[in-house]
Amino acid sequence: VEPSDTIMVEDEDYDADGNTNLTIEIPVTIMSVNGPENCIFNVGDENSDWITMEAECTIIGLTINSAVNTIRATDIDNILVKDCIVSESSENGIWLVDCDNFRIVNCQCIENGPDGSGLRTENSGGLLSNSVFDSNSREGGSGGGIHFRESDDQLNLIVENCLFSENFASAYGGAVYMTGIEDCLFRNCQISGNQVEESNGGGICITGSSNVRFESCIISENETPRSGGGFYISGGSVVDV
């Protein structure tokens, strides 16, 4: 495989043999022939991630089940994950650290957890678009659907046309938890039917002096035993609705 090559993956249900703890060391595109319903990786190993990106990478049209962290990257920009189904990771479906200009488009993150989130980012910026986060859970922590942590004013986060439903966290933010986020926009999203078990923000928790805007969003029927069924805002955060 040469840099910038496209690797076409044939239709099949792939098992864990030779398909876990993969590392991408050069820029490539990994793409299924006929979409995620026909190209399925069943990792099925409680000790294995699926793929770690050490170079810019595009992944299109795959289903990946039952990894620890399905996709992870540190200090890699311009990542694209499109038309993928990421499910049943025991920790994070997608975990990005120090990654700018990521794009996650038309993906489904389903039933990931209980030791992570559907999507977790740290000091990262990019676009999350036309995606579904359903039935993800974070036991003993915050942000079952997505967990955004620490990004400066040069790292913009945009979440648009996304659905967050039936996500769960023990502590804060059943669907969404954000802390230390300088610039984030939610546009045309629905956040419904999520819950926290012990603390605040059944749908969304925003803290740590974050700056977040919401445009044309539906936030409904989220549950908490304490404060903020829909929203919980603290720590000097500024929210424009």
Side-chain angles (χ1 to χ4, degrees):
V1 178
E2 299 295 328
S4 302
D5 276 358
T6 296
I7 302 168
M8 301 300 299
V9 186
E10 297 290 340
D11 295 355
E12 190 169 331
D13 281 6
Y14 296 92
D15 61 21
D17 186 22
N19 294 309
T20 63
N21 293 320
L22 306 175
T23 301
I24 301 299
E25 297 180 337
I26 59 174
V28 293
T29 295
I30 302 172
M31 182 176 181
S32 68
V33 173
N34 290 307
E37 296 81 7
N38 301 295
C39 186
I40 301 169
F41 287 83
N42 297 297
V43 178
D45 186 338
E46 63 183 13
N47 299 310
S48 296
D49 294 339
W50 181 61
I51 203 164
T52 298
M53 298 178 182
E54 296 183 355
E56 181 180 327
C57 184
T58 294
I59 299 175
I60 301 175
L62 306 180
T63 292
I64 313 102
N65 300 320
S66 303
V68 177
N69 298 284
T70 298
I71 298 170
R72 64 189 301 175
T74 300
D75 199 24
I76 304 298
D77 297 338
N78 303 312
I79 291 166
L80 171 61
V81 182
K82 182 179 179 182
D83 301 333
C84 288
I85 301 170
V86 176
S87 69
E88 299 179 5
S89 305
S90 61
E91 293 185 10
N92 301 287
I94 302 172
W95 185 10
L96 306 177
V97 180
D98 297 326
C99 297
D100 193 17
N101 197 37
F102 70 78
R103 289 167 295 155
I104 299 169
V105 180
N106 197 33
C107 290
Q108 299 177 50
C109 290
I110 303 170
E111 296 183 352
N112 298 287
D115 297 322
S117 304
L119 167 65
R120 180 183 176 102
T121 74
E122 302 172 37
N123 194 41
S124 297
L127 172 68
L128 174 60
S129 177
N130 296 92
S131 294
V132 174
F133 289 78
D134 184 84
S135 302
N136 302 285
S137 63
R138 181 69 170 96
E139 299 282 356
S142 301
I146 58 176
H147 184 124
F148 289 158
R149 176 173 291 274
E150 308 299 337
S151 68
D152 62 31
D153 58 5
Q154 303 301 312
L155 295 168
N156 300 322
L157 285 162
I158 298 175
V159 182
E160 63 181 13
N161 304 319
C162 291
L163 171 65
F164 300 86
S165 62
E166 306 298 328
N167 299 288
F168 168 87
S170 293
Y172 297 91
V176 177
Y177 177 80
M178 290 179 279
T179 182
I181 302 301
E182 288 289 338
D183 187 2
C184 182
L185 169 64
F186 280 75
R187 180 192 295 125
N188 297 327
C189 293
Q190 181 172 345
I191 301 166
S192 301
N194 307 281
Q195 65 173 319
V196 291
E197 182 178 40
E198 300 170 358
S199 198
N200 304 309
I204 303 164
C205 177
I206 302 170
T207 187
S209 299
S210 296
N211 290 280
V212 186
R213 291 165 291 146
F214 289 84
E215 297 179 358
S216 302
C217 292
I218 297 171
I219 301 169
S220 65
E221 299 181 358
N222 302 286
E223 299 180 4
T224 173
R226 296 179 64 182
S227 299
F231 276 104
Y232 181 76
I233 303 165
S234 70
S237 296
V238 177
V239 176
D240 184 5
V241 178

Coordinates of all heavy atoms in Angstrom, one line a residue, residues 111 154 170:
E111 N -24.9 1.9 21.2 CA -24.7 0.9 22.3 C -23.2 0.8 22.6 O -22.7 -0.3 22.9 CB -25.3 -0.5 22.0 CG -26.8 -0.4 21.8 CD -27.4 -1.8 21.6 OE1 -26.6 -2.8 21.3 OE2 -28.6 -1.9 21.6
Q154 N -9.1 28.3 18.8 CA -8.7 28.0 17.5 C -9.3 26.7 17.0 O -9.1 26.3 15.9 CB -7.2 27.9 17.4 CG -6.5 29.2 17.8 CD -6.9 30.4 17.0 OE1 -7.0 30.4 15.8 NE2 -7.3 31.5 17.7
S170 N -23.9 8.0 34.3 CA -24.1 8.0 35.7 C -24.1 9.4 36.3 O -24.9 9.7 37.2 CB -23.0 7.2 36.4 OG -23.1 5.8 36.1

